[in-house]
Amino acid sequence: MHVLILGGTSEARRLAELLHGTGVPRLTSSLAGRVSSPRLPPGEVRVGGFGGVDGLVAWVRDHGVDAIVDATHPFAETMSFHAARAAAVTHVPLLALRRPGWVPVRGDRWHGAGSLEEAAALLPALGRRVFLTTGRMGLAAFAGLDDLWFLVRSVDAPEPPCPRQTETLLARGPFTLDGERELIRRHRVDVVVTKDSGGAATAPKLTAAREAGVPVVVIRRPPVPEGVPVVPDPERAARWVLDRLGGRSSPTLG
Ligand code: NAP
């Protein structure tokens, strides 16, 4: 019995921790390999793409996978789509683990955007000094905004092309509210851009922006592929896995 976790998130790591030692005979976490020194989960870890849907189908068959949890980031749309296709082809049960998105509260000045490009188009009307927290990929969408200054925060160095006036801050969450307040103050940030990643680790920037009266461009999530069941936390994902395997073994969740 073999469980495949498509990872790259703290929730995926937590799920691996929960399942490790429950009696699940084989557990593999898969990472895309985007981050140079990822925090590794317990159990087996494989790194790198599968080679599209066909590659994933072959991997699932070759390695006797019995259940898949897509615990990738809410914006890892391609991988989620591939997982849904591969699960349909192989008839292996698939669950999506998605932390809930953020919800605005009183005082927030949020502007929704459907993509990085839409976010870039909104910026000139909102501010001049941008705190860009959408990750190191896709900065080309902002590269034409020569009049704006960008503070780009990412785990690894951003990939060019980048905006002309860019300062890079290499950092990995979780971030503190005091730290985010200080960043906004010190860099005189007047607009923030974020994906609707959800979760507590990177939410303090939203509070700091609200307190400072700074608008936030929030990029909306892509949908989870149709027909794939979704749970919001690792505990429920672990329960789903154990229920799937329950007929064949009797592992318990610690
Ligand atoms: P993506 O656009 O959905 O996927 C692009 C390709 O990367 C996939 O087709 C697949 O290659 C490979 N891939 C993605 N996730 C993989 C995984 N867990 N294991 C093996 N291969 C994987 O993904 P992305 O947005 O570039 O994100 C890459 C990874 O970073 C994901 O694991 C995600 O959880 C994590 N992450 C993403 C974001 C974000 O904002 N997108 C933020 C934080 C963390 P093949 O087609 O060759 O299989």
Side-chain angles (χ1 to χ4, degrees):
M1 272 140 273
H2 186 184
V3 179
L4 173 63
I5 301 174
L6 302 171
T9 58
S10 54
E11 286 80 7
R13 224 172 31 248
R14 177 72 187 132
L15 174 61
E17 285 165 6
L18 286 170
L19 291 175
H20 192 67
T22 56
V24 172
R26 193 171 170 203
L27 180 63
T28 303
S29 294
S30 175
L31 305 177
R34 300 279 192 280
V35 174
S36 53
S37 52
R39 293 176 187 145
L40 294 178
E44 295 174 43
V45 177
R46 67 164 300 286
V47 180
F50 294 93
V53 175
D54 292 347
L56 181 56
V57 165
W59 202 95
V60 164
R61 285 182 173 147
D62 292 350
H63 293 82
V65 171
D66 299 288
I68 306 172
V69 180
D70 168 16
T72 57
H73 190 269
F75 283 80
E77 190 176 6
T78 306
M79 190 67 247
S80 295
F81 177 73
H82 288 182
R85 286 293 313 136
V89 170
T90 57
H91 304 291
V92 169
L94 168 68
L95 177 77
L97 166 54
R98 289 286 181 282
R99 65 179 87 132
W102 289 316
V103 178
V105 300
R106 196 185 169 87
D108 277 326
R109 297 173 56 202
W110 287 13
H111 300 258
S115 63
L116 293 173
E117 289 72 19
E118 259 185 58
L122 290 173
L123 282 179
L126 294 174
R128 285 283 168 275
R129 298 183 62 82
V130 186
F131 182 22
L132 188 57
T133 65
T134 51
R136 72 190 176 96
M137 321 268 285
L139 297 193
F142 302 90
L145 297 171
D146 287 349
D147 295 340
L148 308 190
W149 176 88
F150 287 83
L151 176 65
V152 173
R153 181 167 68 191
S154 55
V155 177
D156 287 315
E159 291 197 347
C162 295
R164 193 167 59 84
Q165 304 183 64
T166 293
E167 184 171 331
T168 303
L169 174 61
L170 298 185
R172 183 176 356 216
F175 301 106
T176 64
L177 180 55
D178 279 347
E180 301 297 56
R181 283 178 180 140
E182 174 58 14
L183 265 187
I184 287 178
R185 191 195 61 75
R186 181 155 39 94
H187 293 285
R188 291 176 288 116
V189 167
D190 58 12
V191 57
V192 176
V193 183
T194 181
K195 292 175 176 171
D196 179 14
S197 298
T202 59
K205 65 188 165 194
L206 303 172
T207 308
R210 180 168 62 247
E211 289 176 357
V214 165
V216 182
V217 178
V218 181
I219 300 168
R220 289 185 287 270
R221 293 175 170 203
V224 173
E226 219 178 304
V228 178
V230 185
V231 294
D233 56 58
E235 287 70 22
R236 267 172 271 198
R239 175 57 52 210
W240 179 89
V241 168
L242 298 180
D243 286 349
R244 298 278 102 37
L245 303 181
R248 285 172 275 177
S249 69
S250 51
T252 51
L253 187 57

